[in-house]
Amino acid sequence: MSINVSNNTKFSAKKVSIDTLKTDCIVVAAFSDGKLSSTTQQLAKNSDLAISDLYKQEEFTGKLGQQVTFYQPTKNIGKAIILGFGEKDKTSITSFRKALSGLGKILAKSTLKQTVLCLDEVEIPDCTSETKARICAEAISHGRYQYTQTLPGKKAKSNVSISYATDNTKDANKGLTKGHAIGKGMNVARELGNLPGNICTPSYLASQAKKLGKANKNLSVKVLSEKQMKELGMGSLLSVSAGSHEPAQLIVMEYKGAAKSEKPHAIVGKGITFDTGGISLKPGAGMDEMKFDMCGAASVFGTMTTLLELQPKINVVAVVAAAENMPGSKATKPGDIVTSMSGQTIEILNTDAEGRLVLCDALSYVERFKPQSVIDIATLTGACVIALGGHATGLFSNDDDFADELVAAGIKSGDRAWHMPMWDEYQGQLDSNFADIANIGGRPAGSITAACFLSRFTKKYTWAHLDIAGTAWLSGGAKGATGRPVPLLSEYLLSK
Ligand code: BES
Ligand code: MN
Ligand code: ZN
């Protein structure tokens, strides 16, 4: 079985004998305690090059992620990359993932037609060939993504094929399929995130959803216009797009993989295609990064892509609340009061706290699907970046068991979330003299009061909120969307 990849990468599992193997490139393992894997030893034996003397070169220690290249180790092998996995007895899924993510970056540049990964022999406790193959495919798909849409000079990647050497081809192929699908989902999320605000508008997101619906029989897509949202009473969502020329769009995608009678899982994404802050205007420095304020929505598109690839037997409803937050003459002003779809009135004290305003109406909307569970995903607060930085997504929930499940899915997929408190004591910070609730809770515990705000609209179902403000994109030289939390969401949904 082989799989066609969007970035021109094909994965397949196969049985390999190093003695007869003919390939452009081979990747083999070494460890930091002076041990080579069995294939590496065999390769060293077959080669005239000083592979077994590797550790005598002072720079090679076999530490995690280290790479050395030998060209033409044998007549039939063009290139050998020896990849360090650290101490042999201490390998873990996490260290394997780290080493592979480094390899993904190297193979990203490769134009070699055929690469064989001889990494199944890296022994990890409680880790199957399927899992290892999955990590390989995910890391390489991720590594081979490149942004090209507004770089006319950039060429598409050439076709490459990656083989995963194993005796257990059936399980490994399963892993490759899964890893590739998750990698593809992440890359969809990255592409949408990276697109500038003048291309990726709410209408652009709506058109992408419609395209996805046309291409897939079991995905039905509906987009609600501002007029339809007004009829539903979505005064909160519409208060955000009021200052923009771009109309808001409520995008609804229903994936049907199970019987109609089975209740769906819902995912809801914040899709602010650009966040100026509105009348509560943001400072200028770094404001360009607010094009990433639709990364929650992007992760919803990415996760749907993964599901469509894998066709699991579940029902999923995906909702994206898309709007642009601008300070136009019709923009909402601080002190304005709006009525949400739930009937609760909201005093908007800061127009820059707009994510919760679009999400609360989308969260009321999903009630009609009687969902088993609802997860919203949002670049919601700068405070979450201060609390957790870029390593963990902030996780809030009205159900501790559900939160535990999501934390576990994050660990398993290498896309971690940290369970934050949402105690009743914080709710008082949202009191208003003029409305049922204020849209900000002051500086203390900013990510928690944002979650508390959403909790007022999610009482009718099991719900979790993922604040991805710190994890959705990287700043600086490597500026770009990460594709998180597609692995966490996919892991959770596929486990259902
Ligand atoms: N999109 C921002 C949150 C954000 C800021 C994410 C920086 C990543 C980096 C959100 O809409 C926002 O502006 N939040 C405000 C809320 C405040 C006004 C209560 C914030 O975090 O400052
Ligand atoms: Mn904002
Ligand atoms: Zn925002």
Side-chain angles (χ1 to χ4, degrees):
M1 191 173 69
S2 65
I3 309 116
N4 233 327
V5 192
S6 57
N7 32 54
N8 296 332
T9 316
K10 263 189 177 164
F11 294 95
S12 62
K14 67 176 188 190
K15 286 188 186 159
V16 161
S17 154
I18 185 79
D19 296 334
T20 54
L21 178 68
K22 237 182 146 158
T23 185
D24 298 325
C25 178
I26 182 173
V27 182
V28 295
F31 302 94
S32 63
D33 23 20
K35 288 180 191 141
L36 300 174
S37 75
S38 61
T39 305
T40 316
Q41 284 172 32
Q42 195 60 38
L43 182 73
K45 229 190 203 166
N46 295 354
S47 175
D48 295 332
L49 303 179
I51 295 177
S52 47
D53 291 338
L54 189 59
Y55 294 96
K56 292 188 189 140
Q57 316 284 330
E58 65 164 352
E59 58 276 26
F60 190 83
T61 58
K63 71 169 188 230
L64 188 62
Q66 201 173 25
Q67 296 170 12
V68 183
T69 303
F70 286 89
Y71 291 97
Q72 209 70 55
T74 69
K75 193 163 98 270
N76 290 332
I77 298 174
K79 173 178 169 180
I81 299 173
I82 300 180
L83 182 58
F85 282 87
E87 268 179 73
K88 193 167 195 291
D89 301 331
K90 286 199 181 148
T91 48
S92 65
I93 293 185
T94 312
S95 64
F96 190 79
R97 204 184 289 280
K98 273 193 188 139
L100 261 296
S101 125
L103 180 71
K105 284 184 193 135
I106 294 295
L107 293 185
K109 297 176 203 127
S110 175
T111 54
L112 298 173
K113 279 215 165 68
Q114 163 88 23
T115 296
V116 178
L117 308 177
C118 299
L119 303 176
D120 201 43
E121 59 203 63
V122 175
E123 280 169 34
I124 305 170
D126 303 318
C127 182
T128 58
S129 293
E130 180 180 333
T131 302
K132 280 182 272 191
R134 173 179 169 182
I135 292 172
C136 289
E138 188 181 316
I140 293 167
S141 303
H142 188 273
R144 286 185 62 78
Y145 165 79
Q146 62 172 5
Y147 176 81
T148 55
Q149 274 208 48
T150 49
L151 292 167
K154 205 138 187 173
K155 275 198 255 137
K157 301 249 162 183
S158 60
N159 289 312
V160 301
S161 108
I162 309 282
S163 300
Y164 183 88
T166 180
D167 289 337
N168 196 354
T169 52
K170 198 168 159 235
D171 285 352
N173 267 324
K174 262 194 230 161
L176 292 174
T177 306
K178 227 173 173 183
H180 171 217
I182 292 170
K184 190 171 171 188
M186 290 177 87
N187 291 344
V188 164
R190 290 161 83 189
E191 183 72 5
L192 290 172
N194 289 337
L195 283 171
N198 62 331
I199 294 176
C200 185
T201 59
S203 309
Y204 179 88
L205 288 177
S207 70
Q208 290 305 305
K210 284 179 184 158
K211 253 198 206 166
L212 212 55
K214 281 220 172 85
N216 293 280
K217 265 212 300 272
N218 58 355
L219 187 77
S220 58
V221 175
K222 186 164 83 177
V223 178
L224 274 62
S225 66
E226 289 203 338
K227 184 166 168 265
Q228 288 168 304
M229 288 188 252
K230 201 167 171 195
E231 279 160 17
L232 287 167
M234 295 186 169
S236 181
L237 194 158
L238 291 168
S239 76
V240 175
S241 61
S244 169
H245 185 69
E246 295 288 342
Q249 311 279 345
L250 190 78
I251 303 163
V252 186
M253 297 178 268
E254 286 179 79
Y255 167 79
K256 293 176 188 108
K260 247 198 180 144
S261 57
E262 203 171 300
K263 293 195 170 113
H265 297 274
I267 49 178
V268 178
K270 169 180 173 183
I272 299 297
T273 59
F274 197 84
D275 181 12
T276 65
I279 297 298
S280 314
L281 195 64
K282 284 184 182 296
M287 207 208 272
D288 67 287
E289 295 193 7
M290 282 299 114
K291 73 172 182 178
F292 294 118
D293 211 18
M294 37 58 72
C295 281
S299 76
V300 166
F301 278 95
T303 303
M304 293 315 272
T305 304
T306 303
L307 295 181
L308 288 167
E309 289 274 320
L310 298 175
Q311 297 286 321
K313 294 187 175 64
I314 50 171
N315 293 331
V316 176
V317 50
V319 174
V320 165
E324 191 184 61
N325 189 19
M326 294 283 280
S329 66
K330 293 190 177 165
T332 301
K333 306 167 292 299
D336 285 1
I337 294 176
V338 297
T339 304
S340 65
M341 184 178 173
S342 71
Q344 297 174 85
T345 54
I346 303 167
E347 185 181 19
I348 299 175
L349 291 171
N350 189 320
T351 63
D352 197 12
E354 84 298 338
R356 60 198 80 180
L357 295 175
V358 297
L359 285 171
C360 70
D361 279 343
L363 287 165
S364 297
Y365 181 80
V366 296
E367 276 176 20
R368 65 189 54 208
F369 298 102
K370 308 220 170 355
Q372 289 188 44
S373 68
V374 179
I375 306 171
D376 77 72
I377 311 101
T379 49
L380 205 63
T381 63
C384 193
V385 190
I386 303 303
L388 297 172
H391 301 295
T393 291
L395 163 61
F396 306 80
S397 179
N398 61 10
D399 181 318
D400 283 343
D401 293 332
F402 186 38
D404 289 348
E405 252 188 283
L406 292 171
V407 166
I411 292 170
K412 197 161 172 220
S413 61
D415 181 12
R416 283 179 297 193
W418 187 255
H419 189 182
M420 302 277 281
M422 207 178 51
W423 299 310
D424 282 344
E425 284 79 353
Y426 292 102
Q427 293 280 356
Q429 285 176 239
L430 296 169
D431 287 350
S432 158
N433 288 348
F434 306 109
D436 292 326
I437 185 173
N439 82 324
I440 53 169
R443 277 178 47 86
S447 63
I448 299 175
T449 52
C452 286
F453 180 94
L454 298 175
S455 76
R456 306 278 186 108
F457 302 84
T458 57
K459 296 200 167 136
K460 297 203 173 124
Y461 45 68
T462 304
W463 160 76
H465 157 60
L466 298 177
D467 193 333
I468 58 167
T471 51
W473 76 89
L474 301 171
S475 304
K479 193 191 283 181
T482 60
R484 291 178 70 180
V486 170
L488 184 159
L489 293 169
S490 304
E491 181 70 47
Y492 170 70
L493 291 170
L494 293 173
S495 76
K496 292 288 119 190

